[in-house]
């Protein structure tokens, strides 16, 4: 199926409909993905990297739209912590996204873009598509699954529902259940998109108009949650932008305002507004206990990990207020209570939630050590 944004990745078309948690199934699913390194003869050196909310498969490849280096190129490559001389690294674009994998901007069987006809999906639905891709690639058991933020949610879901398919689980700055405050932030973003007149009820494809203003506001609000107060203060403070005095108007007086506006406007060139709606909804729904036992079940988090034998490493960052250390600690305690091996650490980093994407040498050492065991 065609997608709103072009992609030069490898693709795989699922031969069978993909069942979804919402009770529907999706036909003709295409998965876009990137691979690095080579699968060894024993087929036991594969690492699946799951990307975050607005990430993509270009983990260590230049982005085809922005031209920027891969979002984790500092971590993935020859001789790097995720060493492609040793490992076969797979990074798929998630279901519902817009970089080649089937999503709301893709063409439905009737030849028209899905728009809001696309079914609402869950994190587990995304992972079902990942597992179909692994089957296609001949990977029966992963050496490791790695994910930060929403990628960590995917890694958790995989470890619980396909426990025999993974030996190691590396979770970075993530959570086992979406905190209520984060659901609230995501709803603000969705409402900003849907309030944009150019959203047109989600049917904006081919009209020459898209809800770029709403999507930009959604990105601005979300981007604030990725940063720490210390980072914002050090980088911008209350410094004015290209002026010596306040304008007494509503332009970008402060540098931080100009920065957020840039982040919002640049985002609209590489991401689809409807995809943002669907992916954040999947995150809002995420709760591993609900996934395992169904909504309303009064189970403990540790019970969701029953039968899991993978080795876990859980990492948080001291300045991350989006998914604070308490959320990671809950995961570590639950895994330990279920009897699976787990290590947990909080790393000091000034960058907030985005720390797992930035230069934190201690994280390099953690990942190198965990993958060497």
């Amino acid at each position: 199926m065609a997608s709103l944004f072009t992609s030069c990745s490898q693709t795989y078309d699922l031969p069978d409909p993909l069942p979804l948690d919402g009770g529907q199934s999706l036909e003709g699913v295409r998965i876009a993905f990137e691979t690095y390194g080579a699968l060894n003869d024993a087929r036991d050196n594969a690492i699946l990297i799951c990307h975050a909310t607005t990430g993509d498969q270009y983990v260590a490849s230049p982005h085809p739209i922005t031209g920027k280096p891969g979002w984790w190129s500092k971590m993935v490559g020859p001789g790097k912590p995720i060493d492609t001389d040793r490992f076969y690294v797979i990074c798929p674009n998630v279901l519902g996204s817009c970089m080649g994998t089937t999503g709301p901007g893709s063409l439905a069987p009737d030849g028209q873009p899905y728009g809001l006809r696309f079914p609402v999906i869950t994190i587990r639905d995304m992972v079902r598509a990942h597992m179909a891709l692994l089957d296609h690639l001949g990977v029966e058991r992963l050496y490791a699954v790695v994910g930060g933020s929403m990628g960590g949610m995917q890694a958790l879901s995989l470890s619980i529902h396909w426990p025999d398919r993974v030996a190691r689980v590396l979770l970075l700055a993530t959570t086992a259940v979406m905190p209520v405050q984060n659901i609230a932030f995501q709803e603000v973003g969705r409402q900003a998109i849907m309030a944009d007149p150019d959203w047109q009820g989600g049917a904006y494809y081919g009209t020459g108009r898209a809800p770029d203003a709403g999507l930009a506001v959604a990105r601005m609000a979300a981007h604030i949650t990725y940063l720490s107060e210390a980072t914002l203060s050090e980088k911008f403070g209350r410094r004015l932008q290209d002026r010596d005095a306040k304008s007494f108007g509503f332009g970008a007086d402060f540098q931080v305002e100009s920065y957020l506006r840039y982040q919002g406007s640049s985002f609209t060139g590489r991401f689809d507004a409807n995809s943002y709606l669907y992916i954040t909804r999947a995150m809002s729904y995420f709760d591993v206990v609900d996934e395992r036992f169904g909504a309303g079940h009064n189970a403990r988090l540790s019970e969701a990990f029953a039968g899991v034998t993978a080795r876990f490493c859980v990492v948080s960052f001291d300045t991350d207020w989006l998914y604070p250390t308490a959320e990671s600690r809950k995961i570590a305690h639950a895994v330990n209570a279920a009897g699976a091996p787990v290590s947990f650490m909080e790393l000091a980093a000034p960058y907030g939630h985005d720390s797992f994407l930035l230069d934190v040498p201690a994280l390099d050492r953690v990942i190198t050590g965990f993958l060497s065991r």
Side-chain angles (χ1 to χ4, degrees), residues 62 99 156 180 207 234 311 314 339:
M99 288 302 297
L156 273 171
V180 175
T207 67
E234 180 179 352
R311 178 184 297 275
V314 185

Side-chain angles (χ1 to χ4, degrees), residues 18-356:
L18 184 71
L20 304 175
D21 281 349
Q24 299 171 268
S25 61
L26 197 58
E27 296 184 3
V29 171
R30 170 168 291 179
I31 304 170
F33 63 101
E34 291 279 294
T35 62
Y36 310 84
L39 189 63
N40 62 16
D41 292 340
R43 297 180 177 270
D44 63 359
N45 69 329
I47 292 180
L48 179 70
I49 295 181
C50 302
H51 69 70
T53 313
T54 59
D56 47 57
Q57 65 271 38
Y58 299 104
V59 61
S61 305
H63 195 282
I65 295 175
T66 67
K68 294 181 178 180
W71 55 267
W72 225 16
S73 56
K74 67 176 288 296
M75 194 66 70
V76 178
K80 296 181 180 180
I82 302 178
D83 188 352
T84 52
D85 286 338
R86 178 186 177 194
F87 298 115
Y88 176 56
V89 176
I90 308 157
C91 186
N93 188 219
V94 298
L95 184 71
S97 192
C98 54
M99 288 302 297
T101 294
T102 300
S106 302
L107 300 182
D110 64 2
Q112 299 299 313
Y114 275 106
L116 291 197
R117 296 181 298 159
F118 194 75
V120 171
I121 56 173
T122 65
I123 297 295
R124 181 164 54 178
D125 292 334
M126 296 175 183
V127 180
R128 284 194 185 98
H130 297 344
M131 303 313 292
L133 174 63
L134 294 180
D135 291 342
H136 167 67
L137 295 174
V139 176
E140 294 184 3
R141 182 172 170 82
L142 291 163
Y143 185 89
V145 59
V146 180
S149 192
M150 187 187 80
M153 298 177 194
Q154 296 165 61
L156 273 171
S157 186
L158 190 158
S159 72
I160 288 170
H161 299 292
W162 293 269
D164 297 332
R165 300 290 297 268
V166 61
R168 295 165 183 80
V169 181
L170 177 57
L171 306 172
L172 309 173
T174 195
T175 182
V177 57
M178 179 59 75
V180 175
Q181 179 175 262
N182 296 358
I183 294 174
F185 275 114
Q186 291 178 333
E187 176 63 2
V188 169
R190 288 191 292 267
Q191 288 298 320
I193 290 169
M194 293 187 288
D196 188 324
D198 288 336
W199 182 57
Q200 304 172 69
Y204 52 85
Y205 305 110
T207 67
R209 297 183 292 124
D212 289 345
L215 180 59
V217 171
R219 177 63 172 180
M220 290 167 66
H223 194 74
I224 295 169
T225 71
Y226 304 152
L227 307 175
S228 69
E229 170 65 21
T231 295
L232 286 171
S233 295
E234 180 179 352
K235 190 170 184 177
F236 304 109
R238 290 180 53 84
R239 291 186 291 275
L240 298 177
Q241 176 71 23
D242 298 330
R243 62 194 71 196
D244 297 322
K246 301 181 185 69
S247 68
F248 291 91
F250 295 100
D253 275 10
F254 294 100
Q255 288 181 7
V256 68
E257 295 172 337
S258 178
Y259 169 76
L260 288 175
R261 292 184 185 194
Y262 170 77
Q263 290 294 327
S265 63
S266 62
F267 182 62
T268 64
R270 70 171 183 87
F271 213 80
D272 177 38
N274 281 341
S275 285
Y276 193 89
L277 298 180
Y278 278 87
I279 291 172
T280 58
R281 173 53 84 193
M283 294 174 68
S284 294
Y285 281 170
F286 184 66
D287 181 334
V288 293
V289 173
D290 281 0
E291 277 198 0
R292 185 70 186 269
F293 301 109
H297 195 284
N298 193 29
R300 295 186 299 271
L301 179 58
S302 60
E303 295 177 67
F305 291 96
V308 171
T309 58
R311 178 184 297 275
F312 284 73
C313 179
V314 185
V315 179
S316 68
F317 299 93
D318 61 350
T319 54
D320 183 356
W321 59 274
L322 184 64
Y323 301 125
T325 291
E327 298 299 324
S328 291
R329 189 176 287 117
K330 289 176 187 176
I331 296 171
H333 287 167
V335 172
N336 182 65
V342 58
S343 56
F344 164 72
M345 59 210 70
E346 179 188 58
L347 301 182
Y351 311 113
H353 181 64
D354 270 355
S355 293
F356 75 97

